[in-house]
Amino acid sequence: MCGRYALYGPTSRIREQFDLDDGFDFGPRYNIAPTAKVLVVQSGPGGERTARLHRWGLIPSWAKDVSIGAKLINARGETVAEKPAFRAAFRRWRCIVPANGFYEWKAAQEAGRTIKQPYFIRPQAEGELFGFAGLTERWVSPEGEEVHTCCIITTGANVLMMPIHDRMPVILAPNDYSTWLDPTSTDVGSLRALLRPAAAGNMTAYPVCRAVNSARSDSATFVEPV
């Protein structure tokens, strides 16, 4: 799964990698957790790419209340096209979630007890960003309030991730961004083909401080190796 990640820019790099023309306000965040507002990249009405804030945790349009969103932070790539919660968004409302890296936890022994050691996984090349495959939805409350939400699609682990966790976010190759975002791309087979593990050689992983375990904490030190 993917339950925590970081996006700290710089803004110029986000704009460059995802070909964004419009401005956006998203300060450095080193410990982004579910239900938070997150930055997503979508295709605009004229084909241009736009960056917007969505709540992390997808709420299907047919849901009765917002509580389901906390359970739908991720969608499995193997079943996303068929699951009722995701299938409409998969065909119509795909997005990219930019990230400098993500966290995953591995069981380890310390002083005779089992602990969860956090790891930070980021691009091998300094300055590069991940582009997670995501979905968006628009939900309207009984009172008429619009809530825009999203989730991150996951896939099986690559060889780098296998010792840490058996799942990882789908990290799109930059040359696949346009296909993924194109609302006219409706061929399920072609879209499924993009939901594969990223090449392990383009990533690096290392242990980080356990202070990141608290979703209420946020610090630039969380992405530094220990």
Side-chain angles (χ1 to χ4, degrees):
M1 65 175 293
C2 178
R4 213 80 65 78
Y5 73 96
L7 177 61
Y8 45 88
T11 299
S12 59
R13 184 68 188 110
I14 299 173
R15 290 171 62 92
E16 178 187 3
Q17 181 162 329
F18 298 98
D19 194 22
L20 297 170
D21 291 328
D22 62 340
F24 57 88
D25 183 16
F26 194 87
R29 302 264 297 282
Y30 298 91
N31 194 11
I32 301 172
T35 74
K37 292 284 190 179
V38 302
L39 191 74
V40 304
V41 176
Q42 298 171 285
S43 179
E48 74 283 2
R49 294 181 188 172
T50 64
R52 298 288 182 266
L53 294 179
H54 282 50
R55 174 175 164 163
W56 185 11
L58 189 135
I59 306 173
S61 59
W62 44 258
K64 297 189 184 313
D65 59 66
V66 300
S67 62
I68 192 173
K71 302 175 183 177
L72 300 179
I73 65 168
N74 293 153
R76 293 178 68 92
E78 297 88 341
T79 57
V80 66
E82 293 82 33
K83 289 288 185 180
F86 305 118
R87 62 190 178 198
F90 179 70
R91 286 166 173 77
R92 305 176 192 169
W93 304 301
R94 297 178 298 275
C95 72
I96 296 173
V97 181
N100 286 86
F102 64 98
Y103 299 97
E104 195 52 82
W105 282 259
K106 178 183 178 181
Q109 294 296 311
E110 181 180 89
R113 63 189 181 94
T114 301
I115 62 164
K116 288 288 191 178
Q117 173 61 53
Y119 280 72
F120 188 59
I121 302 94
R122 62 166 178 80
Q124 181 73 254
E126 289 287 349
E128 293 296 311
L129 299 167
F130 288 145
F132 300 151
L135 306 175
T136 67
E137 264 282 10
R138 172 184 169 273
W139 181 77
V140 181
S141 74
E143 296 73 34
E145 177 192 7
E146 286 191 8
V147 182
H148 295 270
T149 64
C150 67
C151 70
I152 294 169
I153 301 176
T154 66
T155 186
N158 61 22
V159 294
L160 176 79
M161 286 297 301
M162 282 177 185
I164 303 172
H165 199 276
D166 63 353
R167 303 289 295 177
M168 63 182 291
V170 171
I171 301 168
L172 296 168
N175 58 6
D176 290 328
Y177 291 171
S178 294
T179 300
W180 181 252
L181 292 177
D182 184 357
T184 66
S185 295
T186 58
D187 182 71
V188 171
S190 298
L191 294 169
R192 278 185 188 275
L194 303 181
L195 306 181
R196 57 187 182 269
N202 296 333
M203 304 163 57
T204 187
Y206 50 80
V208 294
C209 69
R210 297 211 297 271
V212 74
N213 292 355
S214 171
R216 295 184 296 273
S217 301
D218 197 294
S219 170
T221 61
F222 291 175
V223 300
E224 298 175 359
V226 298

